[in-house]
Amino acid sequence: MDIFLKNMKMLIRLSALFFSTLFFLPTLSSAFLDVENAALDRLVERNILEDGKEFFPDEMCRRADFAEWALKNVGEDVTEETIQSPYVDAKNMPFVGRLWELGLTEDSVLFSPEKPTTKMDAIKILLPLEGVSIPRAGFTLHEYNDLPEDAYER
């Protein structure tokens, strides 16, 4: 009888543990079906990203998307009525136009909004937007021999 009671108590404890875990776990919610990430959910809450069916985390980031996300992250309110892009391939992309106004994109005819954002593009856009100065004199990059001479000029 003693063993029966011990086993019964153990069964009750395990059942209680199971049901408390089942009913009191926080519910996991995600803005995307293909990835669950609290940082992405926070970006959706801040209206930097739009929630949708899938985020596609392994795909390259388009230059147009990066421009929009970077400006929204620093609180830039950009609308098509206020800013026009000077690029022929990005005419209806006010975020691209705002980057150009801020001097954060190249002066050329094409922006190539569908191409992926390079690391150099990201650095040239994000650091100034975040107020981080890029050293110009007395600074060398010994590990990166492939950078162009004007990599740190705006």
Side-chain angles (χ1 to χ4, degrees):
M1 184 76 166
D2 221 13
I3 293 176
F4 175 76
L5 285 176
K6 284 183 181 179
N7 286 339
M8 191 60 137
K9 286 181 182 179
M10 180 66 87
L11 181 62
I12 291 170
R13 286 185 189 139
L14 288 174
S15 296
L17 179 64
F18 171 76
F19 284 109
S20 68
T21 304
L22 182 67
F23 292 113
F24 296 108
L25 269 181
T27 56
L28 299 175
S29 64
S30 179
F32 304 100
L33 298 176
D34 60 340
V35 64
E36 194 166 296
N37 185 297
L40 291 177
D41 292 343
R42 181 68 185 120
L43 291 174
V44 169
E45 289 171 16
R46 292 179 54 211
N47 294 318
I48 294 169
L49 296 177
E50 292 180 21
D51 61 342
K53 294 180 180 178
E54 296 183 69
F55 182 71
F56 303 107
D58 297 325
E59 286 187 6
M60 301 294 262
C61 180
R62 295 176 34 227
R63 290 169 52 94
D65 293 334
F66 186 81
E68 181 177 355
W69 297 343
L71 286 168
K72 282 182 173 181
N73 186 55
V74 295
E76 285 279 337
D77 185 25
V78 179
T79 62
E80 289 184 29
E81 297 82 40
T82 59
I83 297 173
Q84 290 295 315
S85 168
Y87 302 102
V88 296
D89 61 347
K91 281 292 183 198
N92 296 323
M93 297 181 179
F95 290 98
V96 173
R98 182 64 180 141
L99 285 181
W100 179 80
E101 284 182 351
L102 293 170
L104 301 177
T105 60
E106 305 288 326
D107 284 330
S108 69
V109 178
L110 299 175
F111 179 73
S112 305
E114 298 299 320
K115 285 188 177 179
T117 299
T118 65
K119 291 177 186 178
M120 188 54 66
D121 290 336
I123 288 171
K124 285 183 174 181
I125 292 170
L126 288 179
L127 293 183
L129 283 177
E130 295 293 337
V132 177
S133 63
I134 302 171
R136 296 178 192 271
F139 181 77
T140 57
L141 292 174
H142 301 286
E143 298 174 28
Y144 303 105
N145 297 326
D146 60 340
L147 291 174
E149 291 290 324
D150 66 344
Y152 291 97
E153 296 176 10
R154 269 200 265 171

